[in-house]
Amino acid sequence: ELAAAAPPAPQLDATMPARHQWCGAKHPVTLVIEEVEEIFREMGFTVATGPEAEHEWYNFGALNFPPDHPAMDMHDTLYLESGGGALLRTHTSPVQVRTLQSYPPPIRILAPGNAYRRDFFDASHAPVFAQIEGMAVDEGISFVDLKATLTHFANRFFGKTRTRFRPSYFPFTEPSAEMDVECRICGGTGCPACKGSGWMEILGSGMIHPAVLEAAGVDSERYTGWAFGMGPGRIALLRYGIPDIRLLYDSDMRFLEQFAL
């Protein structure tokens, strides 16, 4: 009996263009967060996380925000229907308090995560944004340690760059300072991203207020510490020369494919 004939081989058209291969890549903000984490890991910091739906006491009370204080105006956010003071956190600072409650000093942590505020969506602000906060608590820590650490970070991340510290106010730090680096987009000449100043604010910082240490159960007579908070989205503008932070949220593949490795 004769064997069945083999089916004809499929014809291959070598002139047909290949199908487009989609290649996943990390978002530029994710790249910044991972690089910041690596720099601070080298300095002995550990990454810590906490809930985004936070209790009002952790978000405000434990951080020395007096009720109805004008500083609260910068932290308008969404309160949750579950009640009991639950809200979407306005910063990752509650992670600092939770860490101080859980572990004795010395402590050095980095706390990345999302934060929520009623900010206008413009070239340098977004209502939902990633934030990275850092904290160091130990005996004998001073503002000198704060400036030295953050200046080292800026030079590691941006390369040799000019920095400046400006006096500021935060309820949870005293004294407080804003840290600026020279705008990498315009080279210090002024542009919309830096609001014509030639400088880009990258973080707020200061010595942790004794009331915050006491609220977390830490002896403020024995221990001191400093903390800072930065927006990796704004830092991504500087690193990659992006003129408008809204580009990071458009999900435009033509823009995001530039960062594919």
Side-chain angles (χ1 to χ4, degrees), residues 57-58 62 94-105 107 135 212-218:
W57 185 83
Y58 282 102
V95 179
Q96 300 178 26
V97 179
R98 291 181 177 274
T99 302
L100 289 170
Q101 288 180 327
S102 302
Y103 303 98
I107 294 173
M135 176 184 69
V212 175
L213 296 174
E214 294 290 345
V218 176

Side-chain angles (χ1 to χ4, degrees), residues 237-252:
L237 301 186
L238 293 169
R239 161 55 64 84
Y240 301 111
I242 302 171
D244 195 317
I245 201 170
R246 288 169 290 194
L247 292 170
L248 300 175
Y249 299 90
D250 283 345
S251 299
D252 189 335

Side-chain angles (χ1 to χ4, degrees), residues 84-179:
L87 50 79
L88 295 180
R89 66 185 181 187
T90 61
H91 42 198
T92 55
S93 299
V95 179
Q96 300 178 26
V97 179
R98 291 181 177 274
T99 302
L100 289 170
Q101 288 180 327
S102 302
Y103 303 98
I107 294 173
R108 286 173 176 79
I109 64 162
L110 204 65
N114 288 329
Y116 306 82
R117 296 185 190 177
R118 194 189 61 83
D119 283 347
F120 293 104
F121 204 21
D122 58 27
S124 57
H125 294 84
V128 181
F129 56 95
Q131 189 177 54
I132 303 176
E133 296 204 8
M135 176 184 69
V137 177
D138 201 350
E139 297 182 31
I141 285 184
S142 69
F143 201 87
V144 174
D145 303 304
L146 166 65
K147 289 190 67 175
T149 302
L150 295 183
T151 300
H152 172 75
F153 158 73
N155 285 293
R156 278 290 312 279
F157 189 87
F158 296 108
K160 191 65 175 177
T161 184
R162 292 196 300 158
T163 62
R164 71 178 184 181
F165 287 82
R166 295 178 290 106
S168 188
Y169 169 78
F170 304 106
F172 35 85
T173 55
E174 179 63 35
S176 305
E178 305 274 5
M179 180 181 178

